[in-house]
Amino acid sequence: MALRPETSSELLIDGKLVPGTGGTFAIINPATEEVIGHAADGTTEDMEAAIGAARTAFDTTTWSRDHAFRAKCLRQLRDALGGHIEELRQITIAEVGAPAFLTSGPQLEGPINDLGYFADLAESYEWETDLGRAKPMGIKTNRTVQREAAGVVGAITPWNFPHQINFAKIGPALAAGCTVVLKPAPDTPWCAALVGKVIAEETDFPPGVINIVTSSDHAVGALLSSDPRVDVVSFTGSTATGKKVMVAAAETLKRVFLELGGKSAYIVLDDADLGAACSMAAFSVVTHAGQGCALTTRMLVPREKYSEAIELVKAGLAGLPAGDPTDPGTICGPVISAVQRERIEGYLKLARDEGGTIEIGGGRPADKDKGYFIEPTLISGLENSARVAQEEIFGPVLVIIPHDGDDDAIAIANDSPYGLSGAVWGTDPDRIKKVVDGVRTGTMGINGGIWYSADVPFGGYKQSGIGREMGVAGFEEYLEIKAVATPA
Ligand code: NAD
């Protein structure tokens, strides 16, 4: 079976692949600006049907109670997608602009394999805990606590790491026994729709358990926040949209799970290996053209080493130019769209207007007349209060800021509305520990340590989100807790 549709991809609603009632919309390759195909344009009518199917599947089938069957379906999906891996790789590179090297990790293969982790959790999780006997109000009682699926989940996802984020939601939600409606970003509909095709044609997921509605219209996804039939809305995207989701969900008091933006600090202490720290800082900020919420985009270096660090980072960025994502050597591909490129260019202008110095980069690469490319860029000469140091740019742009010691570095790192990720480089374990403990953020990497993996909870403090994705904590986001008492 070929995955790439000849006409348009389809929606998955109630176990059937169906066209969108809104027709189709074009998908553009961000590296070439060519139309690579079309996706089904789901409407509110389609979304209503998908939510209804998910509700019925949750309320009328044994899905939420049959842990072994759910594990089987998730492993089936992992294996079926594995059978299409090379085709999915080509489509992902073309649709997302993801550099090929990332598709053997978080852009494709990693998240598919992670389905196995969630299948294992469905089987091994302690669904019922015996609290033993007690005598509340003088009556001997046996008490248990049981965990149950939270219900219908509305999953809304962005375009930057579509497979990773789609599977980080549908994997644990389905493993927990929920039913799901997935609404991917309009820029990357195929990454989700083609998974829907595999689910419909190659797995035993019962109708309605997983529904996938692609759409060019953000308002279609917004229904998932407001519809009373949805119990949990699981959202990844910008902080501004996350706030709207939370407001819309308040009316029905549904559980809200939010993975939002970041402006993570990369702290270099004065005893660090400066060369290694600067190389890794450059590599991190250009990975997937800086389109990662957890990428470290504020580099804090000791004031006395500021000039030296600037030269080292410039050398690093010079060796990582924006390039063709199909080339296995490319680290920095295009950004997703013309709109996103203009937004980044607006920030580059702002950096100049605010008095910053563009040390390297700062515009479109001269050797590319097609594709939404931005040169890897380093901005110096600004304080942490500058807008380019406070706001998420979501491009290959690093701001370098001097600090006056460990406490000052921690204070600057925390002077941000966000708290998603961070990094520290140094040699003294006590000083490193003080920084790790002091920075209010959901993840920290030490001396280049990478925390990303299926069993590691990921999420944000402050305006970077509410809740955790991945790991046992991510699985438990999709569970309710019921206490049961029996006279002993
Ligand atoms: P976005 O907020 O514009 O859109 C995200 C999704 O929300 C899309 O599917 C979009 O169609 C949908 N949407 C838009 N308006 C909506 C509304 N009112 N109600 C419901 N859904 C709505 O974000 P984006 O531009 O697609 O992605 C980039 C952002 O995502 C960045 O801010 C980035 O930091 C963030 N992000 C966060 C994480 C994380 O885990 N913390 C991961 C990846 C991306």
Side-chain angles (χ1 to χ4, degrees), residues 75-119:
R75 290 189 188 113
Q76 249 182 352
L77 177 58
R78 176 198 59 193
D79 296 345
L81 291 168
H84 294 285
I85 203 76
E86 289 316 317
E87 204 182 348
L88 280 169
R89 193 185 317 282
Q90 300 316 317
I91 291 168
T92 303
I93 294 168
E95 181 174 74
V96 186
F101 94 100
L102 279 175
T103 62
S104 54
Q107 280 289 18
L108 183 65
E109 292 185 39
I112 290 174
N113 289 330
D114 291 348
L115 290 173
Y117 169 80
F118 294 114

Side-chain angles (χ1 to χ4, degrees), residues 260-334:
L260 308 175
K263 190 78 186 181
S264 300
Y266 187 95
I267 299 174
V268 182
L269 304 182
D270 61 11
D271 62 350
D273 177 341
L274 192 64
C278 290
S279 301
M280 184 60 107
F283 182 86
S284 172
V285 82
V286 303
T287 300
H288 191 31
Q291 301 169 112
C293 50
L295 295 177
T296 42
T297 50
R298 279 187 300 153
M299 185 174 184
L300 314 184
V301 298
R303 193 173 296 280
E304 64 277 14
K305 298 194 173 173
Y306 193 55
S307 305
E308 191 186 348
I310 288 171
E311 293 311 314
L312 287 166
V313 175
K314 273 167 71 176
L317 292 177
L320 296 165
D324 177 358
T326 64
D327 180 339
T330 294
I331 310 297
C332 181

Side-chain angles (χ1 to χ4, degrees), residues 157-160 183 218 235-238 241 259-261 293 392 458:
T157 57
W159 41 260
N160 58 331
K183 208 297 293 174
H218 295 311
F235 172 83
T236 298
S238 62
T241 309
E259 293 287 0
L260 308 175
C293 50
E392 188 178 46
F458 167 67

